[in-house]
Amino acid sequence: MEAAVIITYRCNARCHMCNTWQFPTRQEDEISPGFLEELPSLDFCNITGGEPFLRNDIGDIVKVLKKKAKRIVISTNGFFTERILELAARNKEIGIRISIEGLPAANDELRGIKNGFDHGIRTLLELQRMGLKDIGFGITVSDKNAADMIELYQLADSMGLEFATAAVHNSFYFHKHDNVIALKAEVSRHFEGLVSELLRTKRMKNWFRAYFNFGLINYINGKERLLPCEAGIENFFITPAGDVLPCNGSPEPWTMGNIKTQKWDDIWNGKNAALIRQNVKSCKRNCWMIGTAAPVMKKYIGVPLKWVLRNKLKSMAGKHIWK
């Protein structure tokens, strides 16, 4: 099972695709590390926000979650370099992903942080120098920054870093309902270029990332998901208030229970959770975000594997993979 723990809605960024910063949580209302002891054993846990390094007790949160999850990755905008390095020095086995929305001018405009690109890259270089292995950066693609995607991938590749992608979505989590990709053909073309680049590498992990990005093309063009959504079965989200949700892509929070007031088994196996899973089953939003796509890619590995084998062979033969 996989989880995302949203530890705060406070954020120092002013992103164009996310209004969470306009609805910050109060520090005194945010879930304390001890409540996370209630979580089950996890294969993977993403610590996210808001900006998670605004939590002064993020070290205590990591300490608890290390007992629960085989792998932990923290998503951050990378601005608070010293705080990130301090935590990483004590937890070199964790992963760090820094959000970078384009080349310097585009990133700083879209993230709303002056010199944000410089802070992010500096943090990554320092983490790399420190010896962390599970580090990288990622982009949330829109009409405004799709043209920078290949260059960012090439930068990540040249630095030996992981590269992640997402597309703009609307939901309660982002407090956005007007995110739209109007230039579908153009944005899809940039994603196709990235998929081709990933398939041409010798790294198997990149081939499956190509499949994930193919799924983003599918989403952008309004098609059904490549794989079923099993949010609330294969994964869950925890909000800063302790609510347990199947995902962060619904129009309003679909709350299964709360770990501050309930035992995990009562939440996960309760009647309310069963009703929420029916909501997920009938949902037509066709989101394709890594938090809900990755678990089903692993569960139904045969589907992406066949796609990878077929299109890897095409790429080696110099053929267009979309035919």
Side-chain angles (χ1 to χ4, degrees), residues 153 157 198-199 201 203-211:
Y153 163 71
D157 188 52
L198 291 167
L199 283 171
T201 69
R203 196 171 176 219
M204 186 179 296
K205 190 173 183 178
N206 281 346
W207 307 344
F208 287 93
R209 283 185 176 141
Y211 177 83

Side-chain angles (χ1 to χ4, degrees), residues 58-69:
I58 189 170
D60 295 328
I61 291 170
V62 169
K63 185 177 181 180
V64 172
L65 291 176
K66 280 169 65 173
K67 295 184 291 184
K68 297 292 180 178

Side-chain angles (χ1 to χ4, degrees), residues 228-283:
C229 180
E230 296 190 358
I233 299 174
E234 296 299 320
N235 69 278
F236 62 88
F237 283 69
I238 302 291
T239 73
D243 290 331
V244 181
L245 315 177
C247 68
N248 65 342
S250 56
E252 66 279 325
W254 289 342
T255 305
M256 304 169 80
N258 188 289
I259 59 171
K260 287 184 177 180
T261 59
Q262 296 171 272
K263 294 294 184 182
W264 179 256
D265 286 345
D266 293 338
I267 296 171
W268 198 246
N269 300 312
K271 291 182 179 179
N272 198 50
L275 291 173
I276 295 300
R277 292 185 183 109
Q278 287 301 313
N279 286 352
V280 173
K281 192 173 182 179
S282 60
C283 180

Side-chain angles (χ1 to χ4, degrees), residues 32-52:
S32 60
F35 286 111
L36 298 175
E37 296 278 5
E38 189 60 37
L39 297 183
S41 297
L42 301 166
D43 293 316
F44 172 76
C45 182
N46 175 223
I47 300 174
T48 186
E51 171 48 52

Side-chain angles (χ1 to χ4, degrees), residues 128 132-133 135-136 153-163 203:
Q128 195 171 50
L132 262 74
K133 303 298 183 184
I135 55 175
Y153 163 71
Q154 291 171 339
L155 176 61
D157 188 52
S158 68
M159 294 173 68
L161 302 174
E162 304 292 337
F163 183 69
R203 196 171 176 219

Side-chain angles (χ1 to χ4, degrees), residues 15-18 48 75-77 97-103 106-107 110-111 137-149 152 163-170 173-174 176 179-181 187 191 194 212-213 216 219-220 248 288-290:
C15 298
H16 83 282
M17 69 288 193
C18 175
T48 186
S75 299
T76 170
N77 58 44
R97 293 294 180 275
I98 293 178
S99 299
I100 295 179
E101 301 307 328
L103 298 176
N107 176 78
L110 298 179
R111 281 260 152 200
F137 58 87
I139 179 175
T140 299
V141 177
S142 67
D143 291 339
K144 299 177 182 292
N145 62 355
D148 286 356
M149 181 164 48
L152 284 181
F163 183 69
T165 52
V168 291
H169 283 69
N170 295 305
Y173 175 68
F174 304 108
K176 290 285 284 186
N179 278 329
V180 62
I181 293 180
V187 175
F191 268 111
L194 177 62
F212 174 77
N213 282 282
L216 285 174
Y219 165 74
I220 289 166
N248 65 342
W288 190 255
M289 292 186 271
I290 194 66

Side-chain angles (χ1 to χ4, degrees), residues 9-11 13-24 50 110 169-179:
Y9 286 139
R10 290 177 285 137
C11 193
R14 303 292 182 263
C15 298
H16 83 282
M17 69 288 193
C18 175
N19 286 336
T20 297
W21 59 273
Q22 296 184 23
F23 302 88
L110 298 179
H169 283 69
N170 295 305
S171 78
F172 80 91
Y173 175 68
F174 304 108
H175 292 276
K176 290 285 284 186
H177 304 284
D178 58 352
N179 278 329

